[in-house]
Amino acid sequence: MRRWNVFVIIISLSLLISGCAGRVELNELLIVSSIGIDYKKNKTIVHFQVVNAGGTAGGQGGGPIGGSGGSVYTYTVAGETIYDAVEKGRNILPRRLLFSHITSVIIGEKYARKKGIAPIFDFMERNHEVRDNIIMFVAKNSTAKDILSLYTPIFKNPGESLKNRVRLAATSTGISEGIKEKDIVRWRYGEFRDPVIQGVEIVKFSGNQDDTSNLENIDANDKTYRISGLAVFNKDKMVTWLNNDQTRGWSIINQRVKDIFIMSHKCDSKKGNVGFMVKNVDAKTKVNYVDGQLKYVVNVKGKANLQEVTCAVDVGDPKSLLLMEKRINEELSSHIVSTVKEAQEKKTDIFGFGKLFYNKYPNVWEKYKGNWKEEFANVELQTNVSIKLESVGARVETIHEQK
C-alpha cells in the first residue's frame, strides 16, 4: 500500500510538471492592438499594429517613462489572402502574434469595395484568439495604413484612440458603442440584411503625421481623424457612404441611440441658430402589407433640451416652443427619409426591413424573398416623429432680448 501511494504521488507530480511545458512567456509574444487591411496591385496588404510596452512616444498620454521607441509599431505584410499574409509575416516578425487583445480592425476603402468583407470575417471567425466585440472601421478616402500610422495627441496608441472617439462621436452619430464584429456577422449571416461599418477619416494630412515628433506640435488638428458616416455594403462589398445626417437616421431606425446627440438649425428668417440635445429616443418600426403594397412606419419619441439660441427668439412664448418642436421633428424625419432613400437607390436593406417582413408575414415573404432587393427599393415609408421640448435651460430670455 505504501509503494502504491508513492507511485500515485510521483505520477501526479509528473503531470503537474509537464503541464508547464507548453507555456508561452509574455516576452515571446507580440500583442496586436489593431489590424489594418488594404488592397494594392491585386495583393492583400495586412498591417499588424503591436504594442511596445516600454515605448514612450514622447512620454505623453500617461505612458511609462524611461522606455525606448514608440508606444506601438506597425508591421506590414503582403499576401494573396489575409491568412497568407499572416503566414508570410512569420518570416519578418520577431515574435509570435497574439490576437486576443485587438481593439479595432480598419479596412481600407479600396479593399472594402474591391474584395469585400467576406475574407476578413472568414479569417476572424476561424481564429480562436479573435474576440467578437472588436470595433470595425472603414478608412474613408484613405488606407488602413494611413490611419494606423497616425500618432495622435493624448493617446499614444491609434487603435485605442479610435475606440475612445467612437464613444465621444455618439453625440452626433447616435452610435455610442460602435459597429462590432458580432453585429456584422449577425446582420450578414444571421438576419440576411446588408451591413454597415463606421468610417474614419483623416482631418488633415501632414507629411510628418507618422513621426512621434508630431506630438510636440500644439496644432492638434494637424494629426487627428474623425468618425465620419457609415460605409454601406451590398452583401459583402461596399457600395456607398452615408453622411452624418443619414447616419443619425440609420441609428434611430435601428434603435442604436443610447446617448443624447446634438442638432442645430437656422432660425426662421433670422440670423443665428438654435441648438438642441435630443435624448431618450425610442424608435419602433412596423410593417403593413395591404393589397400587395408594402408600407413601413417608423414611430419615434423622445425629449429635447434647448442648448443655445443665437437669434432673437422668445423662448418664453409657448408658440415659439411649439415651433421649435416642429422644426426638430421635421429635421429628424428628413434624416430618416434621406437614409432610407439612399439605401433604396443602392438596393441595400441596411435596416432589417426584410427580416421584419418575414417575422410578421412569413407566408407572404416566400413570394418576395427571391427578389427582395428590387422589392425593397419600392417600399413605402412613413415617419411619425414626436420629440417634446423638455427644458430651455437656466436662462429664459436670450442675450438678444436684453436691453
Side-chain angles (χ1 to χ4, degrees):
M1 178 63 69
R2 185 175 299 172
R3 289 180 178 178
W4 174 252
N5 290 337
V6 172
F7 177 74
V8 171
I9 292 173
I10 293 173
I11 295 297
S12 299
L13 289 174
S14 299
L15 290 174
L16 290 173
I17 294 172
S18 64
C20 299
R23 73 185 185 276
V24 179
E25 298 292 346
L26 185 60
N27 60 6
E28 298 175 358
L29 297 172
L30 280 176
I31 300 175
V32 182
S33 62
S34 296
I35 290 181
I37 303 170
D38 286 317
Y39 185 70
K40 185 177 181 181
K41 296 180 180 179
N42 297 324
K43 293 287 186 179
T44 296
I45 315 297
V46 182
H47 316 285
F48 305 101
Q49 187 160 96
V50 299
V51 177
N52 176 23
T56 61
Q60 49 76 47
I65 302 299
S68 61
S71 60
V72 293
Y73 289 108
T74 302
Y75 291 92
T76 297
V77 187
E80 296 297 328
T81 65
I82 296 175
Y83 188 74
D84 182 45
V86 173
E87 285 299 305
K88 288 181 178 178
R90 299 181 190 277
N91 297 326
I92 66 171
L93 296 170
R95 300 176 185 174
R96 174 191 157 191
L97 293 174
L98 179 66
F99 293 104
S100 58
H101 292 276
I102 298 174
T103 59
S104 58
V105 172
I106 300 95
I107 308 167
E109 182 171 345
K110 186 176 180 180
Y111 187 96
R113 291 183 181 273
K114 296 286 186 180
K115 298 288 288 185
I117 57 176
I120 299 174
F121 286 95
D122 181 77
F123 169 77
M124 295 174 67
E125 289 291 293
R126 295 180 191 278
N127 192 315
H128 69 278
E129 290 183 351
V130 178
R131 301 176 183 178
D132 64 358
N133 62 347
I134 297 172
I135 301 179
M136 308 293 297
F137 298 95
V138 172
K140 187 174 183 180
N141 301 322
S142 184
T143 65
K145 180 65 179 293
D146 289 337
I147 301 298
L148 290 178
S149 299
L150 182 61
Y151 278 105
T152 60
I154 311 302
F155 284 91
K156 298 186 300 178
N157 187 322
E160 284 294 327
S161 178
L162 274 174
K163 182 179 178 181
N164 194 62
R165 285 165 199 247
V166 168
R167 179 176 58 83
L168 297 176
T171 55
S172 60
T173 65
I175 308 174
S176 58
E177 297 180 356
I179 306 297
K180 300 179 180 179
E181 181 207 356
K182 59 184 178 182
D183 296 324
I184 300 169
V185 171
R186 184 182 73 251
W187 294 334
R188 178 69 184 92
Y189 304 106
E191 299 179 0
F192 303 102
R193 60 185 281 187
D194 295 303
V196 296
I197 299 178
Q198 280 186 293
V200 55
E201 181 180 20
I202 295 177
V203 174
K204 184 179 179 181
F205 188 84
S206 293
N208 65 337
Q209 283 181 314
D210 57 352
D211 188 344
T212 55
S213 63
N214 193 44
L215 298 174
E216 299 173 3
N217 182 0
I218 197 171
D219 185 2
N221 281 355
D222 227 18
K223 48 205 177 282
T224 190
Y225 35 65
R226 60 180 167 225
I227 306 301
S228 181
L230 288 172
V232 177
F233 289 76
N234 189 329
K235 293 184 178 178
D236 298 315
K237 293 189 176 181
M238 179 183 165
V239 292
T240 191
W241 285 99
L242 296 183
N243 62 33
N244 288 337
D245 289 343
Q246 293 168 335
T247 297
R248 188 179 294 129
W250 179 91
S251 302
I252 293 172
I253 295 175
N254 287 275
Q255 300 177 313
R256 299 290 294 236
V257 179
K258 294 183 179 180
D259 298 325
I260 56 178
F261 59 92
I262 300 171
M263 55 186 300
S264 178
H265 64 75
K266 295 287 184 181
C267 298
D268 291 327
S269 302
K270 302 179 181 72
K271 295 181 180 180
N273 295 273
V274 181
F276 304 93
M277 289 169 55
V278 183
K279 60 182 183 178
N280 300 336
V281 178
D282 180 35
K284 291 182 173 59
T285 304
K286 298 180 179 180
V287 56
N288 296 316
Y289 182 75
V290 180
D291 298 328
Q293 181 64 38
L294 265 174
K295 181 178 181 179
Y296 287 85
V297 181
V298 180
N299 298 307
V300 182
K301 294 182 179 180
K303 299 177 181 178
N305 292 338
L306 184 63
Q307 289 299 107
E308 68 170 357
V309 181
T310 60
C311 55
V313 174
D314 183 4
V315 296
D317 184 355
K319 293 182 179 179
S320 296
L321 299 182
L322 290 175
L323 182 60
M324 290 181 185
E325 285 185 355
K326 181 181 177 182
R327 290 294 300 272
I328 296 173
N329 295 332
E330 288 176 347
E331 188 163 345
L332 280 183
S333 179
S334 69
H335 294 169
I336 294 171
V337 172
S338 175
T339 307
V340 174
K341 284 186 176 180
E342 179 68 21
Q344 286 181 313
E345 288 180 5
K346 300 298 181 181
K347 299 180 181 178
T348 57
D349 181 6
I350 56 176
F351 313 103
F353 281 1
K355 184 70 162 53
L356 195 64
F357 184 23
Y358 166 76
N359 290 341
K360 188 170 182 180
Y361 304 100
N363 294 330
V364 182
W365 169 254
E366 292 297 320
K367 173 185 173 183
Y368 285 83
K369 71 176 183 179
N371 195 36
W372 175 241
K373 295 285 186 180
E374 299 294 333
E375 298 294 341
F376 166 75
N378 297 305
V379 298
E380 183 181 350
L381 177 72
Q382 177 183 328
T383 60
N384 301 315
V385 182
S386 178
I387 304 296
K388 300 298 182 182
L389 191 59
E390 184 180 52
S391 170
V392 297
R395 176 191 290 273
V396 176
E397 290 184 342
T398 70
I399 58 174
H400 304 281
E401 295 176 294
Q402 294 181 348
K403 298 180 179 179

